[in-house]
Amino acid sequence: MYDIKALYEASSVAHATELLLAHPEAQVIAGGSDVLVQIREGRRAGMELVSIYKLDELRGVELEEDGTIRIGSLTSFSHITKDKIIKKYINVLGEAVDMVGGPQIRNIGTIGGNTCNGVTSADSASTLFAWDAIVELSGPEGLRRLPIKEFYIKAGCVDLRPGEIQTGILIPQKAYEGYAGHYTKYAMRNAMDIATLGCSVNVKLSEDKETILDARIAYGVAGPVPMRTPSAEQAVKGQPVSKETCRKFGEAVLLDINPRDSWRASKAFRCHIGEVMAERGLEKAIRRAGGGI
Amino acid sequence: MEGKQYQLVTCTINGKETQTMVDVRASLTDMLRNDYRMTSVKKGCEVGECGACTVLIDGEAYNSCIYLAVWAEGKRITTVEGLLGPNGELSDIQQAFIDEAAVQCGFCTPGFLMTALEILDSGIEYSDEELRKLLSGHLCRCTGYENIFRAVKKTMLQRLGRI
Ligand SMILES: Cc1cc2nc3c(=O)[nH]c(=O)nc-3n(C[C@H](O)[C@H](O)[C@H](O)COP(=O)(O)OP(=O)(O)OC[C@H]3O[C@@H](n4cnc5c(N)ncnc54)[C@H](O)[C@@H]3O)c2cc1C
Ligand code: FES
Ligand code: FES
């Protein structure tokens, strides 16, 4: 039995907003793999919950007319990994969320929960940052969209206003077309472990595959919220595809990341693997984009 | 004290349609064990770490300890109790666990069997590495996992007509 004060089941997105406004203390529960564990721990014991679990309209991946990839916020990790659109256009997201927890967690955990929890180690977040994802929110004033970078306010805190829920995550066509990416999760175990550091890289090469037209990189656990490293991105834009370029990329990361010492790993260790992960990640992304390196 | 909140939950458990009033605070583990006496569903960690409580919901493996019982409304649930044949015969995967000595204390076994079922029902031939990853959501403190892995692999190959 969970220590829950009351549970309100939403029957539509609008109903969820109504329930949240009527019960201002209540918290949203989607798949519950964070919320229920925190209730057990006592951290969220005695809460009122608004469940959005049954809003099947928020599940699934679609390709919109203008080429935008829309991922419903309640789509589970395992469904993202198996999805044909994800596999075709942004396979690295499917690979990244396939590293979350274990199989049962990937069946219940949602991408909405993974971003609304505001957690820096969330395995989907760095890839979404690196692909310029847009977060879609629905609330009393209707729909609102914002870049994922602006959605994160501080550790554990995202820009969700009273009555709002996240309804989708959008990847615009210009953000994915021609790009190939790679995600590295560094953890102590291969399964059921939280990232010590997560790093998502993607790259767009010139037609002859000799030059880097654009490179994007984002980290989880390199700061209080997921973050891009603009210095590294700038350092390799327009540069030739080479090992030397990848090395520079890794070095430049250190200008931007600011990990902390924690019981999982020291700051020095995180900086070290951060550099290596960037360098190797770029090499792998380049190979996937058809570059010879 | 505030009044308790109950909801009527109708679902199919091991092929049988059932209905019961459930406390909204109950986990699916609570409902299956207390209301339906499905004691194959074990309470291990109750926080999604060990997999002892794993059941299939519409064919996918879930930790029933971190799933609200009221969410089971309209769902198709499978537990180990549903694997037995009409005269109590064991299913292929259960027999394989016995043959491969994949059971010692048995606490983790029902959960592993459910995950194995999702793997087997996919009809996909997985590599050893993929199988290990697919089994990684369970803890076993007795067997050392190798025999469990062998039992699942053997049944997978048998079902695919490969051995
Ligand atoms: C054993 C275990 C292992 C795990 N391993 C990993 C791991 O390796 N990597 C990883 O990234 N995570 C991991 N997690 C954490 C968790 O599974 C993920 O964060 C998951 O994505 C949470 O999704 P959910 O739907 O279950 O979220 P919930 O628990 O339902 O919600 C999480 C938070 O987001 C809010 N929320 C959820 N959806 C919405 C929405 N649509 N709109 C507004 N607010 C919303 C909730 O109010 C809550 O604050 C693990 C969890 C467990 C139990
Ligand atoms: S009891 Fe459910 S995962 Fe451990
Ligand atoms: S057989 Fe004892 S825990 Fe697995």
PDB file of all heavy atoms in Angstrom, chain A residues 1-2 4-5 7 30 40 51 53-54 79 98 103-104 107 191-192, chain B residues 2 5 25 30 46 54 60-61 65 67 70-71 118 133-134 136-138:
ATOM      1  N   MET A   1       0.853  -1.192   0.000  1.00  0.00           N
ATOM      2  CA  MET A   1       0.000   0.000   0.000  1.00  0.00           C
ATOM      3  C   MET A   1       0.896   1.253   0.000  1.00  0.00           C
ATOM      4  O   MET A   1       1.834   1.319   0.785  1.00  0.00           O
ATOM      5  CB  MET A   1      -0.857  -0.039   1.261  1.00  0.00           C
ATOM      6  CG  MET A   1      -2.259   0.449   1.126  1.00  0.00           C
ATOM      7  SD  MET A   1      -3.308  -0.260  -0.141  1.00  0.00           S
ATOM      8  CE  MET A   1      -4.022  -1.664   0.685  1.00  0.00           C
ATOM      9  N   TYR A   2       0.574   2.168  -0.862  1.00  0.00           N
ATOM     10  CA  TYR A   2       1.355   3.411  -0.907  1.00  0.00           C
ATOM     11  C   TYR A   2       0.742   4.464   0.008  1.00  0.00           C
ATOM     12  O   TYR A   2      -0.478   4.513   0.158  1.00  0.00           O
ATOM     13  CB  TYR A   2       1.382   3.960  -2.337  1.00  0.00           C
ATOM     14  CG  TYR A   2       2.412   3.288  -3.204  1.00  0.00           C
ATOM     15  CD1 TYR A   2       2.055   2.282  -4.086  1.00  0.00           C
ATOM     16  CD2 TYR A   2       3.745   3.643  -3.101  1.00  0.00           C
ATOM     17  CE1 TYR A   2       3.008   1.650  -4.869  1.00  0.00           C
ATOM     18  CE2 TYR A   2       4.702   3.021  -3.872  1.00  0.00           C
ATOM     19  CZ  TYR A   2       4.332   2.027  -4.757  1.00  0.00           C
ATOM     20  OH  TYR A   2       5.282   1.412  -5.515  1.00  0.00           O
ATOM     21  N   ILE A   4      -0.508   7.458  -0.127  1.00  0.00           N
ATOM     22  CA  ILE A   4      -1.037   8.462  -1.053  1.00  0.00           C
ATOM     23  C   ILE A   4      -2.275   9.066  -0.395  1.00  0.00           C
ATOM     24  O   ILE A   4      -3.126   8.341   0.112  1.00  0.00           O
ATOM     25  CB  ILE A   4      -1.453   7.802  -2.392  1.00  0.00           C
ATOM     26  CG1 ILE A   4      -0.232   7.192  -3.099  1.00  0.00           C
ATOM     27  CG2 ILE A   4      -2.163   8.808  -3.294  1.00  0.00           C
ATOM     28  CD1 ILE A   4      -0.598   6.316  -4.290  1.00  0.00           C
ATOM     29  N   LYS A   5      -2.361  10.385  -0.408  1.00  0.00           N
ATOM     30  CA  LYS A   5      -3.504  11.026   0.244  1.00  0.00           C
ATOM     31  C   LYS A   5      -4.758  10.876  -0.603  1.00  0.00           C
ATOM     32  O   LYS A   5      -5.841  10.563  -0.102  1.00  0.00           O
ATOM     33  CB  LYS A   5      -3.191  12.503   0.464  1.00  0.00           C
ATOM     34  CG  LYS A   5      -4.193  13.237   1.323  1.00  0.00           C
ATOM     35  CD  LYS A   5      -3.607  14.578   1.736  1.00  0.00           C
ATOM     36  CE  LYS A   5      -4.667  15.512   2.268  1.00  0.00           C
ATOM     37  NZ  LYS A   5      -4.184  16.897   2.243  1.00  0.00           N
ATOM     38  N   LEU A   7      -5.974  10.103  -5.051  1.00  0.00           N
ATOM     39  CA  LEU A   7      -5.551   9.892  -6.440  1.00  0.00           C
ATOM     40  C   LEU A   7      -6.671  10.363  -7.355  1.00  0.00           C
ATOM     41  O   LEU A   7      -7.817   9.941  -7.213  1.00  0.00           O
ATOM     42  CB  LEU A   7      -5.288   8.403  -6.682  1.00  0.00           C
ATOM     43  CG  LEU A   7      -4.908   8.028  -8.117  1.00  0.00           C
ATOM     44  CD1 LEU A   7      -3.457   8.389  -8.409  1.00  0.00           C
ATOM     45  CD2 LEU A   7      -5.111   6.530  -8.359  1.00  0.00           C
ATOM     46  N   ALA A  30       2.917   9.961 -14.021  1.00  0.00           N
ATOM     47  CA  ALA A  30       2.785   9.423 -15.384  1.00  0.00           C
ATOM     48  C   ALA A  30       2.993   7.914 -15.293  1.00  0.00           C
ATOM     49  O   ALA A  30       2.046   7.169 -15.038  1.00  0.00           O
ATOM     50  CB  ALA A  30       3.781  10.094 -16.310  1.00  0.00           C
ATOM     51  N   ARG A  40       7.613   5.714  -1.589  1.00  0.00           N
ATOM     52  CA  ARG A  40       8.135   4.642  -0.718  1.00  0.00           C
ATOM     53  C   ARG A  40       9.254   5.140   0.184  1.00  0.00           C
ATOM     54  O   ARG A  40       9.326   4.810   1.358  1.00  0.00           O
ATOM     55  CB  ARG A  40       8.727   3.531  -1.556  1.00  0.00           C
ATOM     56  CG  ARG A  40       7.843   2.484  -2.019  1.00  0.00           C
ATOM     57  CD  ARG A  40       7.444   1.372  -1.098  1.00  0.00           C
ATOM     58  NE  ARG A  40       6.787   0.377  -1.920  1.00  0.00           N
ATOM     59  CZ  ARG A  40       5.489   0.141  -1.946  1.00  0.00           C
ATOM     60  NH1 ARG A  40       4.674   0.772  -1.124  1.00  0.00           N
ATOM     61  NH2 ARG A  40       4.993  -0.747  -2.762  1.00  0.00           N
ATOM     62  N   SER A  51      -3.171  11.445 -11.804  1.00  0.00           N
ATOM     63  CA  SER A  51      -2.602  10.454 -12.726  1.00  0.00           C
ATOM     64  C   SER A  51      -2.970  10.798 -14.166  1.00  0.00           C
ATOM     65  O   SER A  51      -4.124  11.054 -14.483  1.00  0.00           O
ATOM     66  CB  SER A  51      -3.130   9.060 -12.371  1.00  0.00           C
ATOM     67  OG  SER A  51      -2.926   8.193 -13.470  1.00  0.00           O
ATOM     68  N   TYR A  53      -1.686   8.656 -16.453  1.00  0.00           N
ATOM     69  CA  TYR A  53      -1.273   7.373 -17.051  1.00  0.00           C
ATOM     70  C   TYR A  53      -2.225   6.888 -18.152  1.00  0.00           C
ATOM     71  O   TYR A  53      -1.817   6.258 -19.107  1.00  0.00           O
ATOM     72  CB  TYR A  53      -1.190   6.310 -15.942  1.00  0.00           C
ATOM     73  CG  TYR A  53      -0.784   4.954 -16.447  1.00  0.00           C
ATOM     74  CD1 TYR A  53       0.533   4.700 -16.814  1.00  0.00           C
ATOM     75  CD2 TYR A  53      -1.719   3.924 -16.592  1.00  0.00           C
ATOM     76  CE1 TYR A  53       0.918   3.459 -17.297  1.00  0.00           C
ATOM     77  CE2 TYR A  53      -1.350   2.676 -17.078  1.00  0.00           C
ATOM     78  CZ  TYR A  53      -0.031   2.452 -17.430  1.00  0.00           C
ATOM     79  OH  TYR A  53       0.344   1.217 -17.914  1.00  0.00           O
ATOM     80  N   LYS A  54      -3.512   7.197 -17.998  1.00  0.00           N
ATOM     81  CA  LYS A  54      -4.482   6.633 -18.946  1.00  0.00           C
ATOM     82  C   LYS A  54      -4.715   7.492 -20.189  1.00  0.00           C
ATOM     83  O   LYS A  54      -5.575   7.178 -21.012  1.00  0.00           O
ATOM     84  CB  LYS A  54      -5.807   6.364 -18.225  1.00  0.00           C
ATOM     85  CG  LYS A  54      -5.665   5.231 -17.228  1.00  0.00           C
ATOM     86  CD  LYS A  54      -6.972   4.802 -16.646  1.00  0.00           C
ATOM     87  CE  LYS A  54      -6.756   3.675 -15.656  1.00  0.00           C
ATOM     88  NZ  LYS A  54      -7.974   3.450 -14.842  1.00  0.00           N
ATOM     89  N   HIS A  79       9.023   1.641 -26.224  1.00  0.00           N
ATOM     90  CA  HIS A  79       8.302   1.959 -27.459  1.00  0.00           C
ATOM     91  C   HIS A  79       9.076   2.962 -28.317  1.00  0.00           C
ATOM     92  O   HIS A  79       8.996   2.919 -29.541  1.00  0.00           O
ATOM     93  CB  HIS A  79       6.893   2.451 -27.144  1.00  0.00           C
ATOM     94  CG  HIS A  79       5.973   1.335 -26.719  1.00  0.00           C
ATOM     95  ND1 HIS A  79       4.614   1.387 -26.816  1.00  0.00           N
ATOM     96  CD2 HIS A  79       6.266   0.113 -26.188  1.00  0.00           C
ATOM     97  CE1 HIS A  79       4.090   0.240 -26.371  1.00  0.00           C
ATOM     98  NE2 HIS A  79       5.080  -0.532 -25.979  1.00  0.00           N
ATOM     99  N   ASP A  98      17.380   3.117 -24.373  1.00  0.00           N
ATOM    100  CA  ASP A  98      17.537   1.675 -24.171  1.00  0.00           C
ATOM    101  C   ASP A  98      18.590   1.386 -23.102  1.00  0.00           C
ATOM    102  O   ASP A  98      18.829   0.232 -22.761  1.00  0.00           O
ATOM    103  CB  ASP A  98      17.917   1.006 -25.507  1.00  0.00           C
ATOM    104  CG  ASP A  98      17.620  -0.485 -25.506  1.00  0.00           C
ATOM    105  OD1 ASP A  98      16.598  -0.881 -24.905  1.00  0.00           O
ATOM    106  OD2 ASP A  98      18.415  -1.251 -26.082  1.00  0.00           O
ATOM    107  N   PRO A 103      14.814  -3.727 -18.457  1.00  0.00           N
ATOM    108  CA  PRO A 103      13.675  -3.844 -19.376  1.00  0.00           C
ATOM    109  C   PRO A 103      12.323  -3.437 -18.771  1.00  0.00           C
ATOM    110  O   PRO A 103      11.535  -2.757 -19.429  1.00  0.00           O
ATOM    111  CB  PRO A 103      13.676  -5.325 -19.743  1.00  0.00           C
ATOM    112  CG  PRO A 103      15.080  -5.764 -19.555  1.00  0.00           C
ATOM    113  CD  PRO A 103      15.618  -4.961 -18.425  1.00  0.00           C
ATOM    114  N   GLN A 104      12.064  -3.843 -17.529  1.00  0.00           N
ATOM    115  CA  GLN A 104      10.752  -3.508 -16.963  1.00  0.00           C
ATOM    116  C   GLN A 104      10.629  -2.005 -16.743  1.00  0.00           C
ATOM    117  O   GLN A 104       9.553  -1.432 -16.913  1.00  0.00           O
ATOM    118  CB  GLN A 104      10.524  -4.236 -15.631  1.00  0.00           C
ATOM    119  CG  GLN A 104      10.571  -5.752 -15.740  1.00  0.00           C
ATOM    120  CD  GLN A 104      11.913  -6.293 -15.295  1.00  0.00           C
ATOM    121  OE1 GLN A 104      12.951  -5.897 -15.818  1.00  0.00           O
ATOM    122  NE2 GLN A 104      11.910  -7.197 -14.339  1.00  0.00           N
ATOM    123  N   ASN A 107       9.731  -0.367 -19.883  1.00  0.00           N
ATOM    124  CA  ASN A 107       8.331  -0.545 -20.286  1.00  0.00           C
ATOM    125  C   ASN A 107       7.409   0.439 -19.589  1.00  0.00           C
ATOM    126  O   ASN A 107       6.366   0.794 -20.126  1.00  0.00           O
ATOM    127  CB  ASN A 107       7.862  -1.986 -20.001  1.00  0.00           C
ATOM    128  CG  ASN A 107       8.361  -2.972 -21.057  1.00  0.00           C
ATOM    129  OD1 ASN A 107       8.732  -2.575 -22.159  1.00  0.00           O
ATOM    130  ND2 ASN A 107       8.361  -4.246 -20.722  1.00  0.00           N
ATOM    131  N   ALA A 191      23.714  -2.336 -16.436  1.00  0.00           N
ATOM    132  CA  ALA A 191      22.260  -2.206 -16.344  1.00  0.00           C
ATOM    133  C   ALA A 191      21.910  -1.725 -14.948  1.00  0.00           C
ATOM    134  O   ALA A 191      22.715  -1.834 -14.027  1.00  0.00           O
ATOM    135  CB  ALA A 191      21.591  -3.550 -16.605  1.00  0.00           C
ATOM    136  N   MET A 192      20.706  -1.201 -14.803  1.00  0.00           N
ATOM    137  CA  MET A 192      20.206  -0.781 -13.501  1.00  0.00           C
ATOM    138  C   MET A 192      21.186   0.135 -12.770  1.00  0.00           C
ATOM    139  O   MET A 192      21.507  -0.075 -11.611  1.00  0.00           O
ATOM    140  CB  MET A 192      19.886  -2.007 -12.621  1.00  0.00           C
ATOM    141  CG  MET A 192      18.893  -2.969 -13.228  1.00  0.00           C
ATOM    142  SD  MET A 192      17.275  -2.246 -13.538  1.00  0.00           S
ATOM    143  CE  MET A 192      16.517  -2.335 -11.930  1.00  0.00           C
TER     144      MET A 192
ATOM    145  N   GLU B   2      -9.271  11.259   6.714  1.00  0.00           N
ATOM    146  CA  GLU B   2     -10.029  11.302   5.459  1.00  0.00           C
ATOM    147  C   GLU B   2     -10.527   9.918   5.092  1.00  0.00           C
ATOM    148  O   GLU B   2      -9.927   8.915   5.446  1.00  0.00           O
ATOM    149  CB  GLU B   2      -9.132  11.827   4.343  1.00  0.00           C
ATOM    150  CG  GLU B   2      -8.882  13.310   4.514  1.00  0.00           C
ATOM    151  CD  GLU B   2      -8.303  13.920   3.256  1.00  0.00           C
ATOM    152  OE1 GLU B   2      -8.762  13.532   2.160  1.00  0.00           O
ATOM    153  OE2 GLU B   2      -7.412  14.768   3.375  1.00  0.00           O
ATOM    154  N   GLN B   5     -10.317   5.809  -0.309  1.00  0.00           N
ATOM    155  CA  GLN B   5     -10.789   5.934  -1.683  1.00  0.00           C
ATOM    156  C   GLN B   5     -10.695   4.565  -2.362  1.00  0.00           C
ATOM    157  O   GLN B   5      -9.620   3.964  -2.381  1.00  0.00           O
ATOM    158  CB  GLN B   5      -9.861   6.927  -2.387  1.00  0.00           C
ATOM    159  CG  GLN B   5     -10.503   7.821  -3.401  1.00  0.00           C
ATOM    160  CD  GLN B   5      -9.426   8.599  -4.171  1.00  0.00           C
ATOM    161  OE1 GLN B   5      -8.336   8.860  -3.683  1.00  0.00           O
ATOM    162  NE2 GLN B   5      -9.764   8.958  -5.408  1.00  0.00           N
ATOM    163  N   ARG B  25      -4.610   3.235  -3.153  1.00  0.00           N
ATOM    164  CA  ARG B  25      -3.208   3.274  -2.721  1.00  0.00           C
ATOM    165  C   ARG B  25      -2.500   1.949  -2.971  1.00  0.00           C
ATOM    166  O   ARG B  25      -1.300   1.832  -2.763  1.00  0.00           O
ATOM    167  CB  ARG B  25      -3.134   3.605  -1.228  1.00  0.00           C
ATOM    168  CG  ARG B  25      -3.777   4.942  -0.866  1.00  0.00           C
ATOM    169  CD  ARG B  25      -3.905   5.092   0.638  1.00  0.00           C
ATOM    170  NE  ARG B  25      -4.682   3.988   1.207  1.00  0.00           N
ATOM    171  CZ  ARG B  25      -4.763   3.703   2.490  1.00  0.00           C
ATOM    172  NH1 ARG B  25      -4.135   4.455   3.371  1.00  0.00           N
ATOM    173  NH2 ARG B  25      -5.470   2.678   2.922  1.00  0.00           N
ATOM    174  N   ASP B  30       0.031  -5.670  -4.567  1.00  0.00           N
ATOM    175  CA  ASP B  30      -0.929  -5.798  -3.462  1.00  0.00           C
ATOM    176  C   ASP B  30      -2.213  -6.457  -3.949  1.00  0.00           C
ATOM    177  O   ASP B  30      -2.729  -7.390  -3.329  1.00  0.00           O
ATOM    178  CB  ASP B  30      -1.289  -4.413  -2.886  1.00  0.00           C
ATOM    179  CG  ASP B  30      -0.128  -3.750  -2.145  1.00  0.00           C
ATOM    180  OD1 ASP B  30       0.695  -4.473  -1.564  1.00  0.00           O
ATOM    181  OD2 ASP B  30      -0.058  -2.502  -2.163  1.00  0.00           O
ATOM    182  N   GLU B  46      10.238  -3.769  -3.623  1.00  0.00           N
ATOM    183  CA  GLU B  46       9.091  -2.861  -3.776  1.00  0.00           C
ATOM    184  C   GLU B  46       9.456  -1.464  -4.272  1.00  0.00           C
ATOM    185  O   GLU B  46       8.714  -0.509  -4.071  1.00  0.00           O
ATOM    186  CB  GLU B  46       8.274  -2.776  -2.483  1.00  0.00           C
ATOM    187  CG  GLU B  46       7.480  -4.050  -2.245  1.00  0.00           C
ATOM    188  CD  GLU B  46       6.396  -3.884  -1.218  1.00  0.00           C
ATOM    189  OE1 GLU B  46       5.316  -3.403  -1.592  1.00  0.00           O
ATOM    190  OE2 GLU B  46       6.648  -4.189  -0.038  1.00  0.00           O
ATOM    191  N   THR B  54       7.604  -9.141 -11.095  1.00  0.00           N
ATOM    192  CA  THR B  54       7.303  -8.911 -12.511  1.00  0.00           C
ATOM    193  C   THR B  54       6.093  -9.719 -12.997  1.00  0.00           C
ATOM    194  O   THR B  54       5.982 -10.915 -12.722  1.00  0.00           O
ATOM    195  CB  THR B  54       8.537  -9.251 -13.378  1.00  0.00           C
ATOM    196  OG1 THR B  54       9.636  -8.477 -12.905  1.00  0.00           O
ATOM    197  CG2 THR B  54       8.293  -8.950 -14.849  1.00  0.00           C
ATOM    198  N   GLU B  60       3.642  -7.135 -22.029  1.00  0.00           N
ATOM    199  CA  GLU B  60       4.930  -6.530 -21.684  1.00  0.00           C
ATOM    200  C   GLU B  60       5.220  -6.721 -20.193  1.00  0.00           C
ATOM    201  O   GLU B  60       4.312  -6.665 -19.368  1.00  0.00           O
ATOM    202  CB  GLU B  60       4.937  -5.021 -22.010  1.00  0.00           C
ATOM    203  CG  GLU B  60       4.843  -4.733 -23.497  1.00  0.00           C
ATOM    204  CD  GLU B  60       4.975  -3.241 -23.817  1.00  0.00           C
ATOM    205  OE1 GLU B  60       5.087  -2.409 -22.894  1.00  0.00           O
ATOM    206  OE2 GLU B  60       4.961  -2.921 -25.022  1.00  0.00           O
ATOM    207  N   ALA B  61       6.503  -6.904 -19.872  1.00  0.00           N
ATOM    208  CA  ALA B  61       6.895  -7.154 -18.480  1.00  0.00           C
ATOM    209  C   ALA B  61       6.978  -5.850 -17.686  1.00  0.00           C
ATOM    210  O   ALA B  61       7.614  -4.889 -18.115  1.00  0.00           O
ATOM    211  CB  ALA B  61       8.242  -7.876 -18.446  1.00  0.00           C
ATOM    212  N   CYS B  65       5.183  -3.908  -8.491  1.00  0.00           N
ATOM    213  CA  CYS B  65       5.292  -3.146  -7.242  1.00  0.00           C
ATOM    214  C   CYS B  65       5.241  -1.645  -7.487  1.00  0.00           C
ATOM    215  O   CYS B  65       4.849  -0.887  -6.610  1.00  0.00           O
ATOM    216  CB  CYS B  65       6.576  -3.501  -6.503  1.00  0.00           C
ATOM    217  SG  CYS B  65       8.098  -2.944  -7.314  1.00  0.00           S
ATOM    218  N   TYR B  67       3.434  -0.145  -9.927  1.00  0.00           N
ATOM    219  CA  TYR B  67       2.321   0.018 -10.870  1.00  0.00           C
ATOM    220  C   TYR B  67       1.066   0.076 -10.017  1.00  0.00           C
ATOM    221  O   TYR B  67       0.816  -0.834  -9.200  1.00  0.00           O
ATOM    222  CB  TYR B  67       2.281  -1.187 -11.812  1.00  0.00           C
ATOM    223  CG  TYR B  67       1.373  -1.024 -13.014  1.00  0.00           C
ATOM    224  CD1 TYR B  67       1.870  -0.540 -14.224  1.00  0.00           C
ATOM    225  CD2 TYR B  67       0.022  -1.374 -12.945  1.00  0.00           C
ATOM    226  CE1 TYR B  67       1.040  -0.402 -15.334  1.00  0.00           C
ATOM    227  CE2 TYR B  67      -0.804  -1.239 -14.059  1.00  0.00           C
ATOM    228  CZ  TYR B  67      -0.280  -0.751 -15.247  1.00  0.00           C
ATOM    229  OH  TYR B  67      -1.098  -0.621 -16.347  1.00  0.00           O
ATOM    230  N   VAL B  70      -5.097   0.375  -9.687  1.00  0.00           N
ATOM    231  CA  VAL B  70      -6.239   0.934 -10.446  1.00  0.00           C
ATOM    232  C   VAL B  70      -5.894   1.112 -11.932  1.00  0.00           C
ATOM    233  O   VAL B  70      -6.791   1.174 -12.768  1.00  0.00           O
ATOM    234  CB  VAL B  70      -6.722   2.295  -9.868  1.00  0.00           C
ATOM    235  CG1 VAL B  70      -7.312   2.099  -8.478  1.00  0.00           C
ATOM    236  CG2 VAL B  70      -5.591   3.318  -9.834  1.00  0.00           C
ATOM    237  N   TRP B  71      -4.608   1.160 -12.253  1.00  0.00           N
ATOM    238  CA  TRP B  71      -4.222   1.273 -13.667  1.00  0.00           C
ATOM    239  C   TRP B  71      -4.470  -0.029 -14.433  1.00  0.00           C
ATOM    240  O   TRP B  71      -4.392  -0.063 -15.663  1.00  0.00           O
ATOM    241  CB  TRP B  71      -2.734   1.642 -13.786  1.00  0.00           C
ATOM    242  CG  TRP B  71      -2.401   3.047 -13.412  1.00  0.00           C
ATOM    243  CD1 TRP B  71      -3.276   4.082 -13.225  1.00  0.00           C
ATOM    244  CD2 TRP B  71      -1.083   3.583 -13.177  1.00  0.00           C
ATOM    245  NE1 TRP B  71      -2.577   5.224 -12.901  1.00  0.00           N
ATOM    246  CE2 TRP B  71      -1.240   4.945 -12.866  1.00  0.00           C
ATOM    247  CE3 TRP B  71       0.194   3.042 -13.210  1.00  0.00           C
ATOM    248  CZ2 TRP B  71      -0.163   5.787 -12.583  1.00  0.00           C
ATOM    249  CZ3 TRP B  71       1.274   3.867 -12.933  1.00  0.00           C
ATOM    250  CH2 TRP B  71       1.095   5.224 -12.615  1.00  0.00           C
ATOM    251  N   GLU B 118       8.041 -12.657 -22.165  1.00  0.00           N
ATOM    252  CA  GLU B 118       8.008 -11.538 -23.126  1.00  0.00           C
ATOM    253  C   GLU B 118       9.073 -11.759 -24.200  1.00  0.00           C
ATOM    254  O   GLU B 118       8.840 -11.534 -25.387  1.00  0.00           O
ATOM    255  CB  GLU B 118       8.218 -10.178 -22.437  1.00  0.00           C
ATOM    256  CG  GLU B 118       8.096  -9.022 -23.451  1.00  0.00           C
ATOM    257  CD  GLU B 118       8.403  -7.613 -22.914  1.00  0.00           C
ATOM    258  OE1 GLU B 118       8.503  -7.416 -21.694  1.00  0.00           O
ATOM    259  OE2 GLU B 118       8.531  -6.699 -23.757  1.00  0.00           O
ATOM    260  N   LYS B 133      21.126  -8.621 -21.620  1.00  0.00           N
ATOM    261  CA  LYS B 133      20.576  -7.289 -21.371  1.00  0.00           C
ATOM    262  C   LYS B 133      19.081  -7.387 -21.053  1.00  0.00           C
ATOM    263  O   LYS B 133      18.585  -6.720 -20.150  1.00  0.00           O
ATOM    264  CB  LYS B 133      20.806  -6.419 -22.606  1.00  0.00           C
ATOM    265  CG  LYS B 133      20.350  -4.998 -22.419  1.00  0.00           C
ATOM    266  CD  LYS B 133      20.801  -4.102 -23.542  1.00  0.00           C
ATOM    267  CE  LYS B 133      20.247  -2.705 -23.312  1.00  0.00           C
ATOM    268  NZ  LYS B 133      20.354  -1.851 -24.462  1.00  0.00           N
ATOM    269  N   LEU B 134      18.374  -8.249 -21.782  1.00  0.00           N
ATOM    270  CA  LEU B 134      16.934  -8.381 -21.573  1.00  0.00           C
ATOM    271  C   LEU B 134      16.599  -9.013 -20.224  1.00  0.00           C
ATOM    272  O   LEU B 134      15.497  -8.861 -19.713  1.00  0.00           O
ATOM    273  CB  LEU B 134      16.318  -9.202 -22.708  1.00  0.00           C
ATOM    274  CG  LEU B 134      16.237  -8.468 -24.051  1.00  0.00           C
ATOM    275  CD1 LEU B 134      15.904  -9.434 -25.179  1.00  0.00           C
ATOM    276  CD2 LEU B 134      15.194  -7.360 -23.986  1.00  0.00           C
ATOM    277  N   SER B 136      18.386  -8.345 -17.503  1.00  0.00           N
ATOM    278  CA  SER B 136      19.135  -7.592 -16.499  1.00  0.00           C
ATOM    279  C   SER B 136      18.265  -6.874 -15.470  1.00  0.00           C
ATOM    280  O   SER B 136      18.784  -6.292 -14.525  1.00  0.00           O
ATOM    281  CB  SER B 136      20.054  -6.580 -17.187  1.00  0.00           C
ATOM    282  OG  SER B 136      19.269  -5.602 -17.845  1.00  0.00           O
ATOM    283  N   GLY B 137      16.951  -6.925 -15.614  1.00  0.00           N
ATOM    284  CA  GLY B 137      16.079  -6.248 -14.643  1.00  0.00           C
ATOM    285  C   GLY B 137      15.686  -7.134 -13.479  1.00  0.00           C
ATOM    286  O   GLY B 137      14.679  -6.883 -12.825  1.00  0.00           O
ATOM    287  N   HIS B 138      16.467  -8.183 -13.235  1.00  0.00           N
ATOM    288  CA  HIS B 138      16.159  -9.113 -12.132  1.00  0.00           C
ATOM    289  C   HIS B 138      17.399  -9.383 -11.305  1.00  0.00           C
ATOM    290  O   HIS B 138      18.493  -9.522 -11.840  1.00  0.00           O
ATOM    291  CB  HIS B 138      15.672 -10.454 -12.683  1.00  0.00           C
ATOM    292  CG  HIS B 138      14.379 -10.360 -13.418  1.00  0.00           C
ATOM    293  ND1 HIS B 138      13.166 -10.545 -12.815  1.00  0.00           N
ATOM    294  CD2 HIS B 138      14.122 -10.069 -14.707  1.00  0.00           C
ATOM    295  CE1 HIS B 138      12.204 -10.383 -13.708  1.00  0.00           C
ATOM    296  NE2 HIS B 138      12.758 -10.084 -14.874  1.00  0.00           N
TER     297      HIS B 138
END
